[in-house]
Every structure is written in structure tokens, then in C-alpha cells.
Amino acid sequence: MTTQPEKDGILELRVVSAPRLLHIVRSVVGQLSALRGFSEEDTQFIILAVDEACANVIRHAYLGRHDGVIALSCRLRHEGIEFLITDYGKPADSGCWPKRSLEEVRPGGLGIPLIQAVMDRVEYRRGEGCNELLLGKTLHTPPPGSPQEASSHEEKTKR
């Protein structure tokens, strides 16, 4: 069972599981995050988290094969942004995901802790024949042009 994009879904992208195509995913994620009003720093972290998740799909779900499909659905939310990454490869065992600290320096195994540190919502589920990873990030500042942003600007100009 694949989660259907909701009416507020802004984009759906399908790419083959080739690392050389991840720059397209990074570009799309960056543009949408900036459009939603995230700072440059937050946008770069969101790009890093989604890129790492897609790289994990290639490495672990598709075992390095470049003929799998990675589907990315993006949704702008009132509170932020969500990305749903779907693949049709080997199921992940979330019980085996590394739980170590980002400060523990050694090769490999930091992808999941990094994604969890960057994103506010990380949910993995196995559907019928697919894996789904939902990544959500909350916008902590009002988006440009919103009523909250306008009142915040008015407060600053009164001082």
C-alpha cells in the first residue's frame, strides 16, 4: 500500500536509484524548502537529510543497484514541509538502525542519527511491496507574507 499524495502535495518526482541523479533530488528539495520559507541553514540541513535517506535507499534497499525507483513526494504544510520517500527494494529493519551519537566518530552508520537530528518527524513503514520514509520539518519562523510575518515586521518597525 503506497500512501497517496494529499491535495496539498506540491510535487512528485521519480528517479532511478543512481547516485548521479541525486543532485536533481537535492535541487528540488532545496528549492521547495526555500519556497516554504526555511532559512538557508535549515534548507541545507533538510537537503542533507533527504539526500542521506535516498543514498540509504540505494545502498540498503537496492543493494547498490541502479535500476530501482525512488519516488519523492513533497508537501507544503501549514507548520512546515514533508517529504515522503518511497522505494520498492529490500525492507529495512528499523530495529537495527544505529542509535549512536553524532559525536561518536568512526566510519559509516551516521545516516539515520543525522536524519533524526535534522528532521522533526521521521517515520518508517513497510507498505505492500514498498518502503516509505516520511520526513517532516517544522518551520519555526513565520513564512514570508503570512499574517504572523506581517505582524512581526510591524512590531519591529514600531521600535
Side-chain angles (χ1 to χ4, degrees):
M1 177 178 99
T2 301
T3 302
Q4 295 301 312
E6 297 179 18
K7 291 181 182 177
D8 58 352
I10 190 167
L11 178 90
E12 289 188 46
L13 174 68
R14 295 172 71 87
V15 296
V16 295
S17 58
R20 64 184 168 80
L21 297 178
L22 290 183
H23 72 95
I24 297 168
V25 173
R26 290 189 296 270
S27 179
V28 166
V29 169
Q31 293 295 319
L32 289 175
S33 297
L35 176 69
R36 182 60 188 90
F38 284 95
S39 70
E40 178 62 28
E41 180 180 37
D42 281 346
T43 295
Q44 292 303 315
F45 280 121
I46 294 167
I47 292 168
L48 179 64
V50 174
D51 183 63
E52 181 62 32
C54 291
N56 281 348
V57 165
I58 295 168
R59 181 177 214 172
H60 301 291
Y62 290 125
L63 305 173
R65 289 189 350 260
H66 297 178
D67 60 349
V69 172
I70 299 173
L72 177 69
S73 298
C74 308
R75 295 183 194 103
L76 299 183
R77 298 285 193 206
H78 175 72
E79 68 278 359
I81 196 165
E82 285 183 352
F83 299 94
L84 178 66
I85 301 165
T86 305
D87 71 77
Y88 306 91
K90 178 181 158 195
D93 181 358
S94 57
C96 294
W97 288 357
K99 308 246 186 302
R100 70 183 174 132
S101 165
L102 291 175
E103 283 79 35
E104 203 177 316
V105 180
R106 62 183 152 95
L110 280 179
I112 298 297
L114 181 136
I115 292 167
Q116 292 170 331
V118 168
M119 303 304 283
D120 298 314
R121 184 174 175 197
V122 179
E123 296 176 14
Y124 169 78
R125 57 187 171 255
R126 178 72 181 163
E128 292 179 26
C130 69
N131 301 301
E132 297 177 330
L133 183 64
L134 180 66
L135 304 178
K137 183 71 174 169
T138 302
L139 183 64
H140 297 289
T141 58
S146 71
Q148 298 90 349
E149 192 266 344
S151 64
S152 172
H153 178 70
E154 288 172 13
E155 286 297 317
K156 289 177 186 174
T157 56
K158 287 181 183 177
R159 294 179 191 169

